[in-house]
Amino acid sequence: MDETVGSKANFVKEIIDEHLKAGRFGTCKVRTRFPPEPNGYLHIGHAKSICLNFGLAAEYGGLCNLRFDDTNPETEEVEYVDSIKEDVRWLGFDWEDREFFASDYYETLYEYAIELIRKGKAYVCDLTVDQVREYRGTINRPGKESPWRNRTVEENLDLFKRMRDGEFPDGSRTLRARIDMTHPNLLLRDPLMFRIRRETHYRRGDAWCIYPTYDWAHGQCDSIEGITHSICTLEFEVHRPLYDWFLDQLGIHHPQQIEFARLNVSHTVLSKRKLLELVEQGFVSGWDDPRMPTISGLRRRGYTPESIRAFCDLIGVARANSIVDAGVLDNCLRGELNRTAPRAMAVLRPLKVVVLNYPPDKVEEFDVMINPEDLSLGTRKVPFSRELFIEREDFMEDPPKKFYRLAPGREVRLRSAYFIKCEEVVKDPATGEIVELRCTFDPATRGGDSPDGRKVKSTLHWVSAAHAVEAEVRLHETLFTVRDPGDVPEGVDYKTNLNPGSLEVLKGCRMEPGLKDAKPGSRHQFERLGYFFADPLDSAPGNLVFNRTVTLRDEWVKLSRSGKTGE
Ligand code: ATP
Ligand code: MG
């Protein structure tokens, strides 16, 4: 486990510390839970909640449960359960044998409801959903009591049992808590506890035709599992009085609900409903599309569990909502990959270079460091020959003042190889497109060192044409063009903010031959270009596919430097 998770002070820990000091939970150890609803794949926001809940449990020597909060049969599926487990495990957390399902507690929730009916605290109501809403009132208008509110306990017990036995049509009756129709908090105006719904549940099948609401299920599930601290996002703060009310009425173990600000990340959306829509309508290739903010998308793009945990630790836990810049996560990854990713040279948009004075049949092999950050890894062999490829954007025929890379008559360094000088530009006579550069090299600069202190302003990456392996490279940009894509006026679809250029696929990229056997799922730094990940599904030896995970620097830095230093 990452020892940094949860190591910082935060308000949640202050609350827990107080409870421990006051003995609020007796000798119970800290118990937290991560309670996803299996109606979609997990996203980076969930990662924050996972790191927080598992991190706190670890830090306090307690335990964290994984609980599937599966009370809505319409949208829940086994596929989602499986993906959630895979993602939590991949992030580096272990729930051991503590895998629970709210749907396993339906019987208990039913029994608890009977107990509330017996206490006169719940009743069967025959109002329709629309009527319930109408009777609820508003913040400025008190609610009206349901005409069914004063049924006898016997009648309620009888009707509730018959609801459960399937005697009544969907939506015809509900079980409601009997609290206060004039309560200033609308959630306490006789909230629903059970609805009749004939839906097949992915785990319980047709065993149940009544389903508990979130508010009725959540606190009781926490209590059943002996949770001490039930941590959720800020929008549940207004639910806390109801959470407490149910537990107080039942007189059972009473966890403390604590709310924190949900994570928002710039240029993306973190709502399962919206992410599902992007998947279903084909705006992305799936939940694991490398542009998605899902854990599976980040994994496929090449992010590491360590970087996501470091990110969650860095952003911390607060009570004020904010948007975290997407670049913050990238920065968490760069440091790690700089230390761990082997270097390679790859040319994404190849431009052919012929070295006129280099013998046609000669091949030299240069020893180049695998990772200058870790000298123990030693060197790799990189072949050099008369025909090479360089990056198209590293040459300009008519360079502006601050372009220091290759240009006619100019000398540059080919990394770890030689200085070359551009003598001639060859163009396609029909299109005028530059198809080849004719250059000369200086044998005295072998290894890329200048013998006479001669300076060149730029160092380029390159590959030997005859030795290079071909590959496909997928460049990903943010999925949305604006910082807060969900923030749209009434009637405007957030999808209008989608970035049409979020995926660029480059075929025919040329890479140094050592990448020939790059394993699917391996990470590499392509010099000067960024960190790349051999796609775990689509890449194979002979058919290499790399995703760019991140550029080497923050995009804005790169922009401000582009063409200026050549590095
Ligand atoms: P969505 O709004 O995307 O449907 P949700 O909150 O309904 O998300 P759940 O599966 O219920 O999704 O979430 C499981 C846990 O993860 C909850 O405790 C929830 O508070 C937390 N969580 C969800 N989204 C975020 C987020 N953006 N930041 C932090 N925690 C989150
Ligand atoms: Mg939820």
Side-chain angles (χ1 to χ4, degrees):
M1 195 53 43
D2 187 336
E3 57 295 332
T4 64
V5 167
S7 58
K8 287 197 295 198
N10 67 50
F11 78 95
V12 179
K13 292 208 287 193
E14 279 169 23
I15 295 173
I16 296 177
D17 289 339
E18 263 169 43
H19 287 162
L20 292 175
K21 218 162 73 193
R24 157 95 186 252
F25 296 103
T27 54
C28 285
K29 287 190 170 162
V30 169
R31 254 296 169 127
T32 56
R33 84 285 174 267
F34 172 62
E37 182 177 0
N39 61 354
Y41 281 56
L42 298 182
H43 53 61
I44 182 84
H46 293 114
K48 176 173 176 179
S49 174
I50 293 167
C51 289
L52 180 60
N53 280 296
F54 280 92
L56 286 170
E59 199 176 343
Y60 285 96
L63 296 168
C64 179
N65 296 354
L66 176 62
R67 182 197 319 139
F68 292 94
D69 189 3
D70 53 357
T71 54
N72 293 304
E74 302 86 349
T75 50
E76 295 161 359
E77 289 175 29
V78 176
E79 176 194 347
Y80 299 135
V81 171
D82 293 341
S83 75
I84 288 168
K85 291 202 277 190
E86 183 184 358
D87 290 349
V88 175
R89 220 173 269 131
W90 179 78
L91 278 174
F93 298 99
D94 186 0
W95 59 96
E96 297 170 322
D97 58 349
R98 298 178 309 282
E99 179 173 314
F100 301 113
F101 293 83
S103 56
D104 286 345
Y105 304 138
Y106 285 175
E107 282 75 9
T108 310
L109 293 171
Y110 178 76
E111 295 301 327
Y112 280 162
I114 288 175
E115 207 176 314
L116 288 198
I117 293 174
R118 288 220 166 91
K119 289 183 167 161
K121 299 293 183 185
Y123 62 98
V124 173
C125 178
D126 300 358
L127 295 180
T128 64
V129 178
D130 287 342
Q131 286 171 321
V132 168
R133 194 177 307 122
E134 170 61 28
Y135 276 59
R136 186 176 297 130
T138 63
I139 300 176
N140 304 313
R141 182 164 54 83
K144 234 172 31 178
E145 294 192 351
S146 163
W148 314 102
R149 196 173 196 262
N150 296 313
R151 279 178 160 149
T152 63
V153 168
E154 286 66 37
E155 193 182 359
N156 280 319
L157 288 173
D158 173 61
L159 287 172
F160 184 49
K161 179 171 186 309
R162 288 163 63 194
M163 271 172 69
R164 192 251 181 276
D165 289 345
E167 279 191 35
F168 311 120
D170 283 16
S172 61
R173 291 195 154 99
T174 54
L175 184 75
R176 298 176 67 179
R178 198 163 181 274
I179 308 182
D180 178 359
M181 287 308 291
T182 63
H183 201 286
N185 182 340
L186 270 65
L187 291 168
L188 277 86
R189 294 185 186 173
D190 291 10
L192 301 189
M193 295 166 64
F194 275 99
R195 303 145 298 184
I196 306 175
R197 281 195 206 173
R198 281 174 183 74
E199 289 274 354
T200 302
H201 189 274
Y202 76 102
R203 289 186 81 244
R204 303 303 309 266
D206 296 320
W208 289 81
C209 66
I210 57 170
Y211 287 95
T213 57
Y214 170 86
D215 282 319
W216 171 240
H218 203 81
Q220 283 49 254
C221 293
D222 283 344
S223 177
I224 293 166
E225 291 179 13
I227 300 302
T228 56
H229 298 88
S230 175
I231 300 165
C232 58
T233 42
L234 228 43
E235 65 271 24
F236 289 100
E237 187 172 17
V238 289
H239 294 248
R240 177 152 35 100
L242 182 53
Y243 182 100
D244 290 337
W245 190 88
F246 280 133
L247 292 166
D248 286 341
Q249 299 309 315
L250 291 167
I252 53 179
H253 167 73
H254 193 143
Q256 175 68 51
Q257 176 178 306
I258 304 170
E259 309 85 17
F260 71 102
R262 62 190 295 122
L263 169 65
N264 300 297
V265 177
S266 75
H267 300 90
T268 195
V269 290
L270 294 183
S271 137
K272 282 189 281 189
R273 186 181 57 75
K274 288 179 182 155
L275 296 174
L276 175 65
E277 191 173 75
L278 296 177
V279 171
E280 283 185 335
Q281 299 184 11
F283 290 100
V284 292
S285 64
W287 286 100
D288 68 346
D289 186 300
R291 293 166 292 176
M292 291 279 272
T294 50
I295 306 295
S296 51
L298 295 169
R299 174 165 65 232
R300 179 130 186 224
R301 170 106 166 231
Y303 287 87
T304 60
E306 291 79 6
S307 66
I308 296 174
R309 294 203 303 263
F311 170 75
C312 291
D313 190 47
L314 182 72
I315 57 175
V317 183
R319 288 209 21 109
N321 280 311
S322 64
I323 300 181
V324 177
D325 207 285
V328 175
L329 176 59
D330 293 348
N331 268 333
C332 290
L333 184 66
R334 284 187 186 101
E336 180 191 339
L337 292 186
N338 184 40
R339 278 176 273 116
T340 58
R343 281 22 176 194
M345 289 197 282
V347 175
L348 301 190
R349 298 172 182 87
L351 174 60
K352 192 170 173 191
V353 169
V354 178
V355 186
L356 299 169
N357 56 339
Y358 197 86
D361 301 325
K362 184 169 172 182
V363 178
E364 275 176 280
E365 279 191 324
F366 289 105
D367 291 312
V368 185
M369 261 180 297
I370 290 173
N371 185 346
E373 302 291 320
D374 184 355
L375 300 181
S376 70
L377 294 174
T379 59
R380 65 190 201 266
K381 300 258 183 237
V382 181
F384 184 92
S385 64
R386 182 180 154 93
E387 295 198 354
L388 312 166
F389 288 113
I390 64 164
E391 208 69 64
R392 223 158 238 287
E393 64 175 37
D394 282 339
F395 175 79
M396 280 185 94
E397 191 174 17
D398 189 12
K401 218 163 154 219
K402 298 224 160 149
F403 184 89
Y404 295 124
R405 293 173 263 169
L406 197 58
R410 187 180 290 172
E411 190 173 47
V412 297
R413 175 189 294 109
L414 294 183
R415 174 159 289 173
S416 310
Y418 290 109
F419 286 11
I420 61 164
K421 188 171 167 192
C422 178
E423 310 286 354
E424 191 188 340
V425 180
V426 182
K427 294 182 183 172
D428 180 325
T431 63
E433 190 200 1
I434 298 170
V435 292
E436 185 180 306
L437 302 179
R438 300 211 167 135
C439 300
T440 51
F441 85 111
D442 176 358
T445 57
R446 192 171 195 285
D449 298 321
S450 151
D452 50 8
R454 192 162 93 234
K455 289 228 178 347
V456 287
K457 285 207 168 131
S458 155
T459 300
L460 309 185
H461 60 276
W462 54 275
V463 295
S464 165
H467 304 88
V469 288
E470 269 195 53
E472 176 179 319
V473 171
R474 300 171 183 169
L475 302 177
H476 306 97
E477 299 291 341
T478 57
L479 199 44
F480 292 90
T481 52
V482 296
R483 192 171 159 77
D484 187 3
D487 182 24
V488 284
E490 268 293 303
V492 175
D493 188 341
Y494 72 97
K495 295 197 292 302
T496 54
N497 289 325
L498 274 166
N499 177 5
S502 60
L503 172 64
E504 188 180 2
V505 178
L506 302 173
K507 303 214 188 229
C509 306
R510 302 299 214 284
M511 322 226 146
E512 66 173 68
L515 285 169
K516 181 160 63 71
D517 300 316
K519 285 204 180 60
S522 58
R523 297 182 173 81
H524 310 265
Q525 187 201 91
F526 293 169
E527 302 210 24
R528 299 176 66 229
L529 298 176
Y531 295 101
F532 292 73
F533 185 57
D535 192 280
L537 301 181
D538 295 344
S539 192
N543 186 26
L544 295 168
V545 179
F546 291 94
N547 299 318
R548 184 175 64 198
T549 313
V550 283
T551 51
L552 287 181
R553 300 180 194 88
D554 256 344
E555 215 54 29
W556 68 270
V557 180
K558 212 181 80 186
L559 284 177
S560 68
R561 288 190 179 199
S562 85
K564 294 184 183 165
T565 64
E567 283 287 306

